[in-house]
Amino acid sequence: MSNLKNSKHPYTYSIYADQKFCVIFDILTPRPHFIVKFCPHIRKYPRYKRVEIHDLGCEEIQDLIKFILSFISDYGLNSEPISISFHTGKWASSPQFHGHICISQDTYLKVLKDKKLDMELIKPTSNWTIKNFRGNIDNMLDLYIENVKSYKQACLQNGAKYRMKEIESITSNIKQDLYLVPSKISNFRLDFDLWEPKLKFINSSLDFSNISRQNICISLLKEMCYFSNKFGFFEKPNGCHICINIDLNNNCYGYIHLSADKYYQLHPLPSIFLDNFKKLENYSVET
């Protein structure tokens, strides 16, 4: 693995790359996310075609997971919980394939400062909460850092808006059809969160100590994509985040983050979920 040396521009500078994928900072939306995408010289998919995680072939998925786990290991990120997220449907902001490697704010900013990029080439986008210099902020690096620090609060504000809108959608269509969802798919148990619209995929094998983390992640992606496709999560006007969480013990599980109104249709205990979701404080989508 290597860093790309052909560009120091913050929008394109890769901090990690192989022959197929690269990792860049999230400059367009300041947040503690590394963005993984195809290298610029890879042009397998036309520019006009929307490409999401479920569009990738088996070999690409294997290479992608291997690459992400190598990046996490080589950058010493195993010492904290990490989320890997793929946005789909209306939740995807870009037609070009990419994934999110979500880490703590402090670790992200440490890596950013270590790279010493010339951030003066940056121009704030509409996704920046703070767009102008103020107080002690008189350069683009500090302005970007301040935006990263404000990301969590912005997520809470947006989460409150999503929550109220989705509760209204549920209550106005309370007689909508509910789905019968299996409790297990392949080797994964489905756990329905009672508070947040997250459908978790937990490895149900009695002994998976000999299964590599890479193979578990690949299996999780495969099953979550299959499930999401079956229930129409990728179709307009739906969307979701396909996520893998890795904890401090290197255990991993997957979850699909849905809108609450869609999740309500799937939940085996919809009324309990709705009551809890109404009470929920500090709801946000940070992946």
Side-chain angles (χ1 to χ4, degrees):
M1 304 294 174
S2 64
N3 291 344
L4 293 183
K5 300 299 184 182
N6 62 339
S7 173
K8 277 286 187 176
H9 196 294
Y11 289 112
T12 57
Y13 176 66
S14 170
I15 64 172
Y16 197 75
D18 64 8
Q19 296 302 309
K20 185 177 290 185
F21 298 104
C22 63
V23 175
I24 63 174
F25 294 107
D26 195 345
I27 302 298
L28 296 179
T29 304
R31 53 190 165 183
H33 291 194
F34 295 113
I35 303 300
V36 56
K37 63 176 188 174
F38 284 109
C39 292
H41 65 273
I42 299 294
R43 188 60 63 194
K44 180 175 181 180
Y45 299 98
R47 291 183 182 274
Y48 61 82
K49 177 177 171 56
R50 175 175 287 276
V51 181
E52 298 176 353
I53 185 64
H54 53 96
D55 296 313
L56 269 57
C58 292
E59 183 178 348
E60 287 177 320
I61 292 289
Q62 292 174 5
D63 292 344
L64 174 65
I65 292 300
K66 181 180 179 181
F67 173 78
I68 290 175
L69 295 181
S70 293
F71 166 71
I72 291 171
S73 176
D74 288 353
Y75 266 73
L77 304 178
N78 308 74
S79 61
E80 62 182 70
I82 293 176
S83 293
I84 304 166
S85 175
F86 302 96
H87 301 182
T88 73
K90 71 175 183 180
W91 290 29
S93 59
S94 169
Q96 297 182 357
F97 172 76
H98 66 282
H100 300 244
I101 304 171
C102 314
I103 64 172
S104 71
Q105 173 184 291
D106 289 346
T107 300
Y108 181 82
L109 292 179
K110 181 181 183 303
V111 176
L112 174 71
K113 292 175 182 177
D114 287 346
K115 293 302 176 182
K116 299 179 181 179
L117 296 186
D118 182 4
M119 302 290 277
E120 297 310 310
L121 296 171
I122 289 176
K123 292 184 179 180
T125 71
S126 59
N127 294 330
W128 288 45
T129 304
I130 307 166
K131 297 180 175 62
N132 300 307
F133 297 151
R134 64 187 189 188
N136 295 326
I137 302 174
D138 59 2
N139 62 82
M140 292 307 298
L141 174 60
D142 287 346
L143 184 62
Y144 177 77
I145 290 172
E146 196 67 19
N147 273 273
V148 172
K149 291 179 177 179
S150 69
Y151 176 67
K152 187 176 182 66
Q153 184 59 37
C155 284
L156 290 172
Q157 293 173 351
N158 289 331
K161 295 176 184 177
Y162 297 150
R163 178 173 156 273
M164 294 306 298
K165 183 178 179 180
E166 290 165 9
I167 289 173
E168 181 180 349
S169 176
I170 294 172
T171 54
S172 62
N173 297 281
I174 201 69
K175 294 183 179 180
Q176 61 188 316
D177 294 334
L178 303 180
Y179 295 93
L180 182 62
V181 177
S183 60
K184 183 178 179 181
I185 291 182
S186 186
N187 293 322
F188 298 101
R189 183 183 76 249
L190 302 189
D191 281 4
F192 287 83
D193 196 285
L194 287 172
W195 289 84
E196 295 187 320
K198 295 180 179 180
L199 176 54
K200 298 178 181 178
F201 286 62
I202 312 294
N203 195 311
S204 60
S205 174
L206 294 177
D207 182 14
F208 55 92
S209 57
N210 294 323
I211 305 175
S212 70
R213 184 174 55 168
Q214 178 177 321
N215 286 339
I216 292 176
C217 289
I218 291 170
S219 296
L220 279 168
L221 273 183
K222 176 183 176 182
E223 297 303 334
M224 288 191 290
C225 286
Y226 170 80
F227 186 93
S228 297
N229 186 58
K230 181 178 179 179
F231 285 92
F233 299 164
F234 300 142
E235 299 174 2
K236 294 181 179 180
N238 299 320
C240 65
H241 287 182
I242 304 287
C243 304
I244 296 175
N245 268 14
I246 303 174
D247 67 18
L248 290 174
N249 297 316
N250 283 330
N251 297 317
C252 52
Y253 70 89
Y255 70 89
I256 303 173
H257 200 147
L258 295 156
S259 61
D261 46 355
K262 188 66 176 179
Y263 188 67
Y264 177 87
Q265 292 180 281
L266 302 170
H267 209 293
L269 301 170
S271 297
I272 294 177
F273 162 70
L274 179 57
D275 288 343
N276 288 340
F277 192 62
K278 287 179 178 179
K279 302 173 188 174
L280 191 62
E281 297 180 1
N282 298 329
Y283 172 65
S284 66
V285 182
E286 294 186 37
T287 58

